[in-house]
Amino acid sequence: GAGVSQTPSNKVTEKGKYVELRCDPISGHTALYWYRQSLGQGPEFLIYFQGTGAADDSGLPNDRFFAVRPEGSVSTLKIQRTERGDSAVYLCASRRSGGSYEQYFGPGTRLTVT
Amino acid sequence: DQQVKQNSPSLSVQEGRISILNCDYTNSMFDYFLWYKKYPAEGPTFLISISSIKDKNEDGRFTVFLNKSAKHLSLHIVPSQPGDSAVYFCAAATSGTYKYIFGTGTRLKVLA
């Protein structure tokens, strides 16, 4: 079966621009996560969706970051007025509900802000 | 405030020997722990997990040990193989929250 997919795989943008990163989770997985990983660090939690709603968005660093999951499947992470410090790999993961803790990660989107 | 710490950034082990990767945590509310392996340009892959009601969980060559009093867990890989060379992350969660905190990772290199 298909795993978690993320598009684009790489994104280069200029400082101040708007970007959208897409995540397509494993079919039937109701939980979806976004993480940010900087060089030499572990994945840093950003936001977690259960279905269409954000169950926990405490990791979003500021109001330039926003994520949606309107139909409970595909999710989009949106970053406004990008800054050079936003450069990182953005990882998406999905999880089957029903008490399972195991997350399945996508390959990530490498965002570079110049 | 790093709640999950992996103090060894790298580890080299000879093929066939045991690899021991360590992880410490500070939040006593964490009661579920996971280990992930990550190859370059790929997302992390789940390896093994353990609940705080256990002190050991084994899956093939991989065993995770949990010492709740010391707030410490370790991943043992026996025997180590060159294909095990990757970055290993531990992660912790509080049951019911499903919010995971990751450590900074340990790069394991298994020498042939």
Side-chain angles (χ1 to χ4, degrees):
Chain A
V4 178
S5 62
Q6 292 187 245
T7 54
S9 54
N10 280 284
K11 176 72 177 177
V12 180
T13 190
E14 292 180 348
K15 178 176 177 295
K17 300 287 189 182
Y18 168 82
V19 295
E20 288 190 353
L21 312 179
R22 176 187 167 111
C23 173
D24 208 331
I26 293 172
S27 177
H29 281 197
T30 58
L32 184 147
Y33 296 76
W34 283 100
Y35 293 88
R36 176 169 70 176
Q37 186 174 19
S38 302
L39 196 63
Q41 301 296 314
E44 174 195 2
F45 171 84
L46 295 178
I47 186 169
Y48 150 46
F49 287 91
Q50 183 60 47
T52 60
D56 189 331
D57 64 358
S58 60
L60 294 176
N62 51 59
D63 61 6
R64 296 187 298 106
F65 288 74
F66 190 71
V68 295
R69 195 185 185 200
E71 298 177 359
S73 178
V74 170
S75 176
T76 305
L77 178 66
K78 308 180 181 196
I79 310 174
Q80 297 178 323
R81 304 182 304 279
T82 51
E83 299 177 358
R84 293 195 180 90
D86 298 335
S87 297
V89 175
Y90 289 81
L91 293 164
C92 176
S94 69
R95 177 178 61 82
R96 180 176 52 84
S97 285
S100 168
Y101 280 84
E102 186 176 330
Q103 293 180 308
Y104 294 84
F105 281 84
T109 293
R110 180 175 295 279
L111 175 67
T112 304
V113 182
T114 61
Chain B
D1 177 26
Q2 192 71 26
Q3 297 185 67
V4 179
K5 301 177 186 178
Q6 294 177 255
N7 291 318
S8 297
S10 64
L11 174 69
S12 290
V13 171
Q14 207 65 35
E15 182 180 6
R17 298 290 188 103
I18 184 172
S19 295
I20 301 177
L21 297 100
N22 294 303
C23 179
D24 297 290
Y25 61 96
T26 57
N27 189 339
S28 58
M29 297 297 291
F30 290 146
D31 55 6
Y32 204 88
F33 305 89
L34 308 94
W35 283 94
Y36 286 84
K37 178 167 78 172
K38 186 181 183 305
Y39 293 120
E42 295 183 10
T45 303
F46 171 77
L47 266 179
I48 192 169
S49 63
I50 189 166
S51 160
S52 62
I53 62 172
K54 294 184 173 182
D55 54 18
K56 176 183 173 181
N57 190 25
E58 194 170 352
D59 184 1
R61 296 186 298 115
F62 302 91
T63 303
V64 57
F65 295 92
L66 175 62
N67 182 333
K68 290 186 289 293
S69 61
K71 295 192 181 67
H72 176 84
L73 63 155
S74 60
L75 174 68
H76 292 211
I77 307 173
V78 181
S80 302
Q81 299 173 354
D84 297 329
S85 297
V87 178
Y88 289 78
F89 293 98
C90 65
T94 303
S95 58
T97 69
Y98 298 104
K99 177 181 174 180
Y100 303 78
I101 305 299
F102 282 77
T104 52
T106 296
R107 182 177 301 277
L108 173 66
K109 188 170 183 179
V110 180
L111 307 168

